[in-house]
Amino acid sequence: MTSNSPCSSGGCAGGGNGNGGMNRRSFLRTSGVLASGIAALAASLAPLRDLTDYTSAEQFMQKHYKELSKDDMEKVLDRITREVEKQYSIRPHVKDYKPMDGVEFVYCLNLTRCIGCRKCVHACVAENNQSRDPEIQYIRVLKMPHGSFDMEKGDHNYASPTVPEKGFFYMPVQCQQCKNPPCVKVCPVKATWQEADGITVIDYDWCIGCRYCEAACPYFARRFNWTKPSIPKDRINPEMSYLGNRPRKQGVMEKCHFCIQRTRAGKYPACLEVCPAGARKFGNILDPNSEVSYIMRNKKVFVQLKEELGTSPRFFYYFDV
Amino acid sequence: MILNDRKFLVLAAMSVMFLALAAAFAFNLWGRTPPASPIPLADPKFVDTSPSRVAIAEFIRKGGDPSDYDCDICHEKNKPIKIKFDAENNIILPKEHADIALSHGSHKRNNNCYNCHDEMNLSLLQTRDGKQLKLVDSTPLCGSCHGPTYRDWEAGVHGRTSGFWNRDMGEYSRLGCPSCHNPHSPKFPGREPAPGPHALHPVAKAPAHNEAERNHE
């Protein structure tokens, strides 16, 4: 029995040798092992240093987008401005664009005219500050054989020397801005929702990166930042919006948002502005004089992609003849 | 003494474990697969928003030399030139106009200069109903044959409309026919496609439509 020993509780380092303390040798040995242990622990935690790139305390404490007051939003925009300036040495103009009254956006794409040049893909990347390496592209252009709408036959890796190729048509696919969006339903944290003008948006500060929305989307329209996005400083677009093209961080989802920073300021989206064939048309479907309303009335608007799923896209494909 | 040794052993084992962990992180033993190869930045020409070609109106507006379009330097007014055709009813262009490739329409009926150009005054265009138009205002002339397309164009639906969809918030601009189509051979020439998607990691390729194309990649 050791009931009379002062070290019985196990609290003394040199216990058991009868000196009632630690001798020099065991002290050196213990402290040496402890020091190397702590150093090893610190070294093994090195990857955590990257965490500072993910979230600042300010961002962590931030409320949900819909609960932010005007003052809160100003502070948030200020934080984003500082973060972008620190990372990309460029002072951005970050705004929180709100939907306009009496506006519902619709996109129409003319399959007769599209030549498959993929300029829209890259105009989108440039406008919306997508990561360049790895490159995140919101638009996929499917090369499809004439006479079929079988998506299984679509090829989006075509690299022919010139387009268009005989016997094929080209179908760009991007976020369809569904009226009944499955991606919104599955989000466990309400980080993505549909706005009054029909744009489904993502709050990148609220997204937890679970990728449920990516799995739910029947159009493969959502992209995940698997790695830290990399954008050369001279390719940053400084006109930014909170729900749109501000730089994202690793571990969040992103997707086409109809260029919120352009369209909610009255402009056409970037993919439309670059189209050399004039195949892309965009506008307010609630305005009977808009181009998209003309198309709905006069053209063979024949497909909402995978309409049998009941997602009811706001993105329409049509033919000229 | 037994207790001390056990502590020492545990501490040493933990140190070794953490060191191994640190080394594993440092050398990325199980970490992310590095991307296959760096992705080059897209060529700026693929984000250029200027139209496919420079129409004469745009050319003059930007300060280009319009003397090439002054037909009267060579041609005399009111003296129509007879157009020559070969046995297959193809137009024979003089060497001064060898740069023109006339393939407007898949038939051979639109092979006559005077279908569009005014034979009495070559600096002007004429519609089928006898109206005269300047070279820079050719769009209604195109519309005299391409009715449905012209109607779409007037509605802003054929060809690109740029600027502001919301006309209350800013200006918008329309392009005329020759900003995209060469009037002498209006079909779009083939162009190089911009790079497609890059896989995060090397992946098995999807089945191709034809082998030659896949080999090109």
Side-chain angles (χ1 to χ4, degrees), chain A residues 118 143 153 163 273 281 299, chain B residues 152 159 163 191 194 209 213:
Chain A
R118 287 205 193 101
K143 181 177 107 172
K153 289 183 184 161
V163 287
E273 288 282 2
K281 292 289 156 192
K299 291 291 183 182
Chain B
D152 287 349
R191 63 165 70 214
H209 292 306
E213 172 200 316

Side-chain angles (χ1 to χ4, degrees), chain B:
Chain B
M1 204 63 189
I2 293 164
L3 194 63
N4 204 2
D5 275 352
R6 266 177 57 190
K7 266 189 186 167
F8 173 79
L9 273 176
V10 169
L11 276 172
M14 281 174 74
S15 296
V16 169
M17 204 178 74
F18 283 129
L19 271 177
L21 206 57
F25 280 129
F27 294 104
N28 203 12
L29 279 192
W30 60 72
R32 307 176 187 103
T33 328
S37 55
I39 297 169
L41 286 173
D43 191 318
K45 76 180 174 193
F46 293 126
V47 297
D48 183 8
T49 55
S50 51
S52 328
R53 55 193 300 279
V54 182
I56 171 175
E58 188 64 15
F59 177 72
I60 293 170
R61 203 173 60 78
K62 282 191 173 155
D65 176 14
S67 63
D68 258 11
Y69 299 96
D70 188 354
C71 311
D72 300 337
I73 288 176
C74 304
H75 295 281
E76 213 174 318
K77 270 185 190 164
N78 301 320
K79 278 196 176 171
I81 306 214
K82 194 153 168 53
I83 297 170
K84 292 178 192 132
F85 298 95
D86 66 12
E88 285 173 354
N89 208 23
N90 292 315
I91 191 167
I92 301 168
L93 290 163
K95 64 177 188 307
E96 291 83 359
H97 285 308
D99 56 329
I100 294 174
L102 193 61
S103 61
H104 192 139
S106 50
H107 48 71
K108 284 178 187 167
R109 292 194 299 277
N110 201 10
N111 57 359
N112 189 320
C113 307
Y114 306 138
N115 282 357
C116 298
H117 293 278
D118 186 340
E119 62 225 85
M120 294 302 190
N121 183 354
L122 288 163
S123 296
L124 293 176
L125 302 166
Q126 62 173 353
T127 59
R128 287 296 87 210
D129 54 359
K131 264 185 250 157
Q132 289 185 320
L133 298 165
K134 286 183 186 161
L135 282 179
V136 295
D137 300 324
S138 59
T139 298
L141 170 72
C142 307
S144 67
C145 288
H146 300 278
T149 310
Y150 187 54
R151 189 184 59 211
D152 287 349
W153 179 83
E154 283 188 307
V157 167
H158 180 94
R160 192 168 77 210
T161 308
S162 299
F164 285 76
W165 64 265
N166 188 331
R167 311 291 193 239
D168 299 333
M169 295 176 87
E171 297 286 309
Y172 72 103
S173 65
R174 303 276 301 125
L175 298 169
C177 308
S179 292
C180 302
H181 301 283
N182 179 345
H184 293 123
S185 53
K187 199 167 186 285
F188 262 43
R191 63 165 70 214
E192 178 197 355
H198 302 275
L200 201 55
H201 308 295
V203 285
K205 290 204 169 153
H209 292 306
N210 63 62
E211 267 316 301
E213 172 200 316
R214 192 54 58 190
N215 293 339
H216 179 81
E217 264 181 60

Side-chain angles (χ1 to χ4, degrees), chain A residues 214-232:
Chain A
E214 187 184 7
C217 175
Y219 306 105
F220 184 30
R222 287 179 169 251
R223 300 286 179 272
F224 185 63
N225 284 284
W226 285 101
T227 61
K228 196 176 159 187
S230 83
I231 314 167

Side-chain angles (χ1 to χ4, degrees), chain A residues 8-248:
Chain A
S8 61
S9 61
C12 68
N17 59 7
N19 293 345
M22 185 185 279
N23 63 25
R24 186 182 147 87
R25 191 173 154 212
S26 75
F27 171 77
L28 280 178
R29 195 164 68 161
T30 311
S31 56
V33 169
L34 267 178
S36 63
I38 288 166
L41 178 66
S44 69
L45 293 178
L48 291 181
R49 273 190 312 230
D50 291 343
L51 268 187
T52 52
D53 292 336
Y54 286 80
T55 307
S56 62
E58 256 175 297
Q59 185 190 333
F60 189 74
M61 301 302 286
Q62 187 180 312
K63 282 190 258 180
H64 187 272
Y65 176 84
K66 289 181 181 173
E67 291 173 353
L68 291 173
S69 70
K70 227 175 168 183
D71 288 350
D72 291 341
M73 182 44 87
E74 262 169 41
K75 277 181 205 148
V76 169
L77 297 181
D78 183 58
R79 167 182 65 78
I80 294 166
T81 308
R82 273 185 281 121
E83 282 175 0
V84 171
E85 201 171 5
K86 190 178 160 212
Q87 197 178 351
Y88 299 103
S89 346
I90 184 170
R91 196 162 175 83
H93 312 120
V94 198
K95 283 192 200 162
D96 176 38
Y97 295 88
K98 298 286 185 196
M100 292 177 218
D101 287 336
V103 172
E104 183 178 345
F105 290 128
V106 153
Y107 213 117
C108 294
L109 201 144
N110 191 339
L111 290 176
T112 311
R113 297 290 164 206
C114 179
I115 55 172
C117 67
R118 287 205 193 101
K119 279 181 82 171
C120 49
V121 177
H122 294 275
C124 170
V125 170
E127 168 70 29
N128 290 312
N129 292 320
Q130 274 109 302
S131 171
R132 308 300 156 86
D133 195 358
E135 188 168 72
I136 289 188
Q137 301 176 348
Y138 294 168
I139 307 174
R140 285 179 301 135
V141 185
L142 286 167
K143 181 177 107 172
M144 312 252 281
H146 272 163
S148 158
F149 249 97
D150 184 1
M151 307 278 281
E152 297 290 319
K153 289 183 184 161
D155 173 16
H156 53 247
N157 291 312
Y158 63 89
S160 44
T162 60
V163 287
E165 285 174 275
K166 234 183 151 68
F168 294 96
F169 72 98
Y170 299 86
M171 183 158 82
V173 182
Q174 61 206 78
C175 175
Q176 307 278 305
Q177 310 292 1
C178 307
K179 228 172 194 158
N180 184 16
C183 53
V184 168
K185 284 182 209 162
V186 296
C187 180
V189 295
K190 292 192 172 17
T192 182
W193 64 90
Q194 193 176 176
E195 297 253 288
D197 55 6
I199 303 179
T200 294
V201 294
I202 303 169
D203 183 349
Y204 311 118
D205 289 344
W206 207 257
C207 174
I208 56 171
C210 69
R211 301 173 60 223
Y212 281 24
C213 55
E214 187 184 7
C217 175
Y219 306 105
F220 184 30
R222 287 179 169 251
R223 300 286 179 272
F224 185 63
N225 284 284
W226 285 101
T227 61
K228 196 176 159 187
S230 83
I231 314 167
K233 286 177 180 175
D234 59 338
R235 300 265 174 139
I236 286 278
N237 172 13
E239 301 302 324
M240 294 176 187
S241 58
Y242 181 88
L243 294 171
N245 64 340
R246 66 186 168 109
R248 276 74 65 188

